Amino acid sequence: MNVTFLECSLTGERYEAGKPHNLSRAGKPLLVRYDLEAAKKTMTRESLATREPGMWKWRELLPNDGEPVSLGEPQTPIVPLPNIAGREGASSVLVKDEGRLPTGSFKARGLAMAVTMAKQFGTERIAMPTNGNAGAALAAYGARAGMETIIICPAETPEINVTETAAYGARVYVADGQIDECGALVGKGAAEGLWFDCSTLKEPYRLEGKKTMGFELVEQLGWEVPDAIFYPTGGGTGLIGMWKGFDELEAVGLIGSKRPRMYAVQAEGCAPMVRAFENGDEFAERWEKAATVATGIRVPKAVGDFLILRAVRESGGAAIAVSEEAILQAVDDAAREDGFLLCPEGGAVLAGWRKALGQGMVRADERVVLFNCANGNKYPLPDRSKRLTLQGADPRELCASK
Ligand SMILES: *Cc1c(COP(=O)(O)O)cnc(C)c1O
């Protein structure tokens, strides 16, 4: 275990490793720091190539001491969408398909790590607000670790997430407010000592699990970073995590100084990062009346706002808002043309890339990676089937009708 200390992401104030933490005294996320010289000794391309694929192979840059709480997290594939790329006149577009993880979303990476750490610290009960996927992942890993979990979902959380979360034995509540309002209640209970608060970025280890997306990605691309990454941004854990992870990879000598441009994609109905990016602000104001079909990115206020904005700006990327129509169109197109069912958040990212391409922010010959963060099957889809009476049915008509 190479963790040296934790550090306030705003002030740099240091915190002791080896015990549970939430936000820093300044009310900002804590970042885990490692002895990178020690990590460098064993973390070579050759040694990594011989390890079992998946998030746990990056152990020198992970915080756990001992066995992980695991449900068999695979290395997720990078799947090209050749027909979609062709239609845009681009040489390629790649999708990192995080929908293959346990519970069907990349939240598994963060929660596997957070629950592993909570178990190590002897935590008995964890609570979290969630738009759906994080709750399912916490409930699953919590069940695996023998921990009690309490999950509070905002109204309009997809029902499949609510029922899945309950299936793992979690106590699930659907509340009449937005995710940050649910989070306030979780914070209140934590302050009263009822449970540990595992909210996005209010707990430092979910980020460490999420950063492995970036590690995996560069190894899969032959130890090269892509030119651009499009990420569906809610709380921003994955974007901030990958950005941190790239620095760590450089420090241990696995990559050079080149970085991908990071594009934070949001829906027009909830785009606090885009507004702050365009206004040149360091922090983002709360987005009122947030609404989008892409519920995973329906986050009106992110505690790591300044970290998202910093990564986007330092990388030379941008924050991009896309319409609901463009999101749904992108989901449809990828399914029909390339047989790939994106989740709506993945649709947002495809729409974001199309917009960036149209505006000349990315070139058609660049290597671009889009993150599809959940399995498209977890979301309600329009029923486009037709009713059929078998008695007297003419098979020819089945081919003719559109
Ligand atoms: C949580 C979630 C997001 C947003 O991820 P962050 O790292 O918190 O910004 C995007 N898409 C899906 C499907 C999600 O579940």
Side-chain angles (χ1 to χ4, degrees):
M1 210 270 296
N2 293 319
V3 177
T4 47
F5 54 87
L6 289 82
E7 188 180 73
C8 173
S9 54
L10 188 69
T11 66
E13 188 189 357
R14 292 185 177 190
Y15 293 79
E16 200 185 322
K19 57 185 205 184
H21 286 289
N22 287 113
L23 293 174
S24 71
R25 270 181 282 271
K28 298 298 173 195
L30 290 178
L31 300 175
V32 182
R33 298 300 182 199
Y34 297 86
D35 179 347
L36 298 166
E37 283 306 312
K40 191 174 185 172
K41 293 195 183 107
T42 48
M43 235 182 164
T44 61
R45 291 181 183 187
E46 296 69 34
S47 77
L48 288 163
T50 64
R51 298 182 191 178
E52 194 182 327
M55 64 180 277
W56 305 107
K57 74 183 263 181
W58 307 95
R59 55 182 178 257
E60 289 91 339
L61 294 175
L62 293 178
N64 58 303
D65 212 2
E67 278 304 293
V69 179
S70 172
L71 289 162
E73 300 71 27
Q75 169 179 297
T76 62
I78 296 179
V79 184
L81 300 182
N83 294 324
I84 290 283
R87 216 170 82 151
E88 303 297 330
S91 47
S92 76
V93 65
L94 305 172
V95 176
K96 176 100 171 125
D97 188 15
E98 294 284 298
R100 319 271 180 121
L101 285 156
T103 71
S105 90
F106 69 174
K107 291 294 193 303
R109 293 185 191 262
L111 274 312
M113 193 75 250
V115 171
T116 293
M117 295 307 287
K119 188 177 178 195
Q120 194 175 303
F121 299 140
T123 307
E124 289 172 3
R125 190 187 290 145
I126 306 190
M128 192 173 63
T130 176
N131 276 324
N133 289 324
L138 174 60
Y141 287 97
R144 190 77 176 182
M147 259 173 235
E148 245 184 86
T149 52
I150 296 175
I151 315 285
I152 309 180
C153 308
E156 290 167 60
T157 299
E159 190 177 325
I160 183 89
N161 291 131
V162 176
T163 51
E164 182 193 353
T165 303
Y168 299 120
R171 290 200 179 89
V172 193
Y173 299 92
V174 180
D176 57 349
Q178 293 281 358
I179 188 163
D180 52 344
E181 297 165 313
C182 300
L185 182 57
V186 169
K188 194 170 173 216
E192 289 174 18
L194 292 174
W195 54 57
F196 180 71
D197 181 349
C198 203
S199 306
T200 304
L201 288 175
K202 291 185 184 165
E203 180 283 344
Y205 301 108
R206 285 175 62 183
L207 186 89
E208 296 303 296
K210 277 283 209 53
K211 78 180 180 188
T212 62
M213 294 191 290
F215 292 170
E216 224 170 88
L217 176 69
V218 295
E219 187 185 25
Q220 285 172 300
L221 296 180
W223 295 107
E224 274 180 38
V225 299
D227 296 307
I229 287 177
F230 283 74
Y231 187 81
T233 306
T237 333
L239 192 149
I240 299 165
M242 285 192 280
W243 193 244
K244 174 179 188 280
F246 294 141
D247 284 349
E248 292 170 353
L249 287 186
E250 184 180 356
V252 300
L254 287 167
I255 62 169
S257 60
K258 186 188 166 191
R259 293 288 180 276
R261 301 196 307 282
M262 307 294 282
Y263 292 91
V265 181
Q266 299 199 300
E268 282 176 0
C270 183
M273 294 305 140
V274 180
R275 185 171 60 191
F277 178 76
E278 289 174 353
N279 290 343
D281 295 338
E282 188 186 0
F283 299 95
E285 271 176 49
R286 184 172 196 269
W287 190 274
E288 299 303 327
K289 300 200 173 63
T292 170
V293 287
T295 43
I297 54 175
R298 196 183 56 193
V299 179
K301 176 88 186 134
V303 48
D305 52 0
F306 66 108
L307 298 171
I308 298 169
L309 291 161
R310 219 181 257 176
V312 165
R313 288 185 177 124
E314 276 177 21
S315 74
I320 300 174
V322 294
S323 69
E324 294 297 290
E325 205 182 359
I327 292 173
L328 296 172
Q329 189 66 51
V331 171
D332 259 22
D333 291 347
R336 283 166 185 251
E337 301 195 15
D338 280 309
F340 194 110
L341 190 61
L342 294 166
C343 61
E345 297 81 359
V349 158
L350 173 53
W353 171 67
R354 284 170 157 174
K355 189 168 174 180
L357 203 56
Q359 296 184 353
M361 295 163 129
V362 290
R363 290 196 323 267
D365 63 346
E366 286 190 305
R367 191 191 244 179
V368 173
V369 175
L370 314 180
F371 273 84
N372 183 53
C373 297
N375 187 325
N377 288 316
K378 291 188 86 178
Y379 297 77
L381 290 169
D383 179 8
R384 298 205 179 99
S385 64
K386 298 185 178 66
R387 302 303 136 229
L388 176 67
T389 306
L390 292 171
Q391 181 78 39
D394 176 358
R396 278 161 220 269
E397 275 182 23
L398 303 188
C399 310
S401 92
K402 266 288 271 165

